[in-house]
Every structure is written in C-alpha cells, then in structure tokens.
C-alpha cells in the first residue's frame, strides 16, 4: 500500500504552523479561532493570504464549512478538500494536499481548524442532540449512550478483560501527559497529578474516570504545506512529510470487529512503508489521546509494542519526561487541550519538536516524529511520519 506513493516521500514540507485562542477564550466563534490560527501559520511561512491557493478544512457542525472559510479568509483556492473524518481529518488532509501540489493544481495549501467548544453558547445537551442529527447511528443512538466516553470505556473494558490491563496502567498515561504539560506554558492543565488522583477521580464511564478523559477547550490550529524545493528558501526550518496514510473500518463502536484493534494497524503500516522507516526509528510520538485507552491502543497498533502489551509498556513513567519514549510531549488532549478535534494539534507539536522550538519539553536531537489522528469512536485513523532534512 505504501509503495505506490513512495514518489511523494520527502517531496513536501510543512513551512508554517500556528495556534490561536487555545484554552478558554469566551467571545470567539469557531471561524474566528480558525482565522486567528490561519493568519499565524501563513505569516510563519513568510506568506500572505494572497499566496494561499489550496485549502483543507473540516468542522463538526457545518457540512459546507470550506465555503464559509474561503469567504471569511478572502482566498480563491484552486484546490479544496473538505473531507470530514473527525479528529483525524487534518492529518488525513496531507495526502490529497500532497497530490494536488504534485499535480501543480496549487502551490501553497492551508490546513486549518477552529472550535469554541468550551465557550460555545450551546450547552452540552444541545450539542449532543445536534450531532445526533448530523451523524445518525441507528444501532446506538436509540439507547442514548453518553458518547464518546461510553464508546471508549467499552474498548478499555474489553482490553482489561482480554489482556489483564489495569486501571493503574491507564492512569500512567494520564500522569505522563500531565508531566509533559507541566513543561509546556501553553498547556491548559498543569496542576500536579498522581496515579492515585486519576484512580480516585469521579467515574465518568466505567472504567474511565474524569482524569482518563480529555479536556474540553477552545482553540484554533493551522499549518501550511508546500513543495520541498520551495520550502528550503522559506524562513522557517522545513519539516518534511515522509509518510502518510489513512484507514477507516467502521463508524460506530458497536460495529468494530475487535474492540482492541483499530484501523491504525493499517494506516501505520502504510505510513511506515512509505517513509521507509520502522517504529524504532521514531524519536517523538504524538498520539490522539482523547482517552487514556487510546494511547495504549495506538502504541500497540502502530507497532511500538505487541498487542495487549500497552499497559506494561507505559509503566514506570516510560512515556513521561525522562522515559524511554517521548509520547504527547505537549501534554496531549488529556492535559494540553482538546478543542473538539485534536489531530491538527498533534501534528503542530510534532513540527515544533522537529524545529527544535519546544522549549523545556524539547526532545534533544529529534529528527523524526509520528503524529497520529483518531476520528469518531475509534473509527478513522490517520498516521503521518515527519522528518527534518537530516532524515531524508
């Protein structure tokens, strides 16, 4: 699967990144948060909006979102992609953007997102009702599950039953994320957190407590993708796309064939094949950690440990600062922030690490990074492998 796209390896680079309004910022709309991040990313690349002739974007609440974004930003792109796959969308957007750049359809693609989820005027019950209308799931919605926590709790419970995974091992994931967040001044929650704090927190959906669940924050994120030959003459250190793939096996959690195995098995394998790398070659790992079980599943499915060994793998602070594998170095969705769909922020953190701009949390000598997005309820999976010029 990866071999067909080997010609794309290293031919494109992320030249600009930006975030805006991350945390709790009342008074901003989704569009205003997106626009703030987009302007910062374009400026970071040394460009203006007039230079943007490609657009990739998606929204939970607006099915024709790209048109509104085009109007708001005042751009006239020749390439437009509004594919909506949930939180993996903005990593999945890499492949069509690279193909469009390769074909000469455009020269600079802006990938952007914004969500005022925390400060939005709609309350949570209204938002849930709205999403059920937009995304009907006939076999689950009649039972009114508390989605998404119920779905991920189901996967966690099955993983515990099948492999002996413990709640303490799940808690290790949350504590590690908090350790990284404490090194990151932009993280929303930097308070001390222990395993006992996680275990003793309010139960949300057994076996997941509130500390096993991601934050709910506002925020906008964006990046600019260009051809590599152009990126080398741009102001910021280019971060090259070495591999990218997306896979989706189901929409509803109840339609998963195996609650402990996700389509990341496929997206990861294809991305690694395209990059010509293996898990042992990755210096920094940014995973979509909407819930603590996600991190265990993706460590397994992406090949960093065997299936069922995710729990033991993270014990003893192995993925925390000072551990053997740096995972979610910004604090992740569990502690940095989670503005509705987190995938773009995992990618932005990977770029910051490879640029060497991550401050106290910087992983020394990082040359390669993997950013992985998850959409829906363990539904769509997208994997990107990035590298510095030294990794080409």
């Amino acid at each position: 699967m990866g071999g067909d796209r080997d010609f794309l390896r290293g031919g494109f680079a992320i030249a600009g990144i930006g975030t805006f309004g991350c945390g709790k910022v009342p008074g901003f709309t989704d569009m205003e948060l997106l626009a703030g991040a987009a302007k910062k990313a374009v400026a970071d690349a040394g460009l203006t909006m007039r230079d943007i002739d490609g657009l990739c974007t998606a929204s939970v609440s607006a099915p024709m979102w790209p048109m509104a974004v085009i109007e708001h930003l005042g751009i006239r792109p020749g390439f437009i992609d509004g594919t909506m796959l949930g939180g993996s969308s903005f990593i999945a957007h890499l492949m069509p953007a690279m193909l469009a750049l390769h074909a000469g359809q455009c020269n600079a693609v802006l990938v952007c997102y914004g969500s005022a989820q925390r400060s939005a005027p709609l309350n949570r019950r209204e938002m849930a009702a709205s999403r059920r209308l937009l995304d009907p799931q006939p076999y689950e919605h009649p039972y009114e599950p508390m989605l998404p926590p119920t779905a991920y709790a189901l996967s966690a419970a099955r993983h515990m039953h099948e492999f002996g995974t413990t709640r303490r091992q799940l808690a290790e994931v949350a504590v590690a994320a908090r350790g990284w967040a404490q090194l990151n001044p932009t993280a929303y929650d930097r308070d001390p957190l222990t395993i006992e704090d996680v275990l003793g927190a309010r139960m949300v959906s057994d076996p997941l407590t509130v500390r096993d669940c991601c934050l709910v924050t506002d925020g906008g994120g964006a990046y600019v993708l260009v051809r590599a030959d152009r990126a080398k003459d741009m102001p910021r250190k280019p971060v090259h796309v070495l591999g990218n793939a997306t896979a989706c096996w189901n929409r509803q959690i109840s339609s998963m064939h195996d609650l402990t195995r996700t389509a990341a098995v496929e997206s990861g394998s294809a991305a690694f094949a395209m990059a010509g790398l293996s898990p042992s070659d990755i210096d920094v790992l940014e995973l979509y950690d909407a819930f603590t079980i996600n991190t265990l599943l993706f460590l397994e499915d992406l090949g960093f440990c065997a299936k069922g060994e995710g729990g033991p793998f993270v014990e003893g602070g192995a993925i925390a600062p000072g551990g053997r594998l740096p995972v979610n170095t910004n604090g992740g969705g569990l502690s940095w922030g989670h503005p509705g769909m987190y995938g773009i922020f995992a990618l932005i953190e990977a770029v910051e690490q490879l640029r060497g701009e991550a401050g106290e949390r910087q992983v020394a000598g990082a040359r390669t990074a993997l950013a992985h997005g998850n959409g829906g309820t363990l539904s769509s999976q997208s994997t990107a492998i990035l590298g510095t010029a030294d990794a080409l």
Side-chain angles (χ1 to χ4, degrees), residues 152-162 206-207 293:
Y152 289 88
L154 186 64
S155 177
R158 182 63 194 180
H159 203 276
M160 294 170 74
H161 169 78
E162 192 163 339
D206 194 4
I293 185 61

Side-chain angles (χ1 to χ4, degrees), residues 161-225:
H161 169 78
E162 192 163 339
F163 303 114
T165 307
T166 67
R167 285 188 62 203
R168 292 189 71 87
Q169 290 168 340
L170 290 170
E172 287 266 10
V173 174
V175 172
R178 185 62 56 85
W180 286 108
Q182 289 175 321
L183 301 176
N184 184 358
T186 70
Y188 185 78
D189 198 339
R190 304 177 69 201
D191 293 338
L193 185 70
T194 67
I195 289 177
E196 287 68 30
D197 291 334
V198 179
L199 298 179
R202 174 174 57 87
M203 186 65 70
V204 172
S205 188
D206 194 4
L208 304 179
T209 73
V210 69
R211 298 301 171 209
D212 288 289
C213 304
C214 66
L215 301 172
V216 176
T217 65
D218 304 322
Y223 64 88
V224 175
L225 186 75

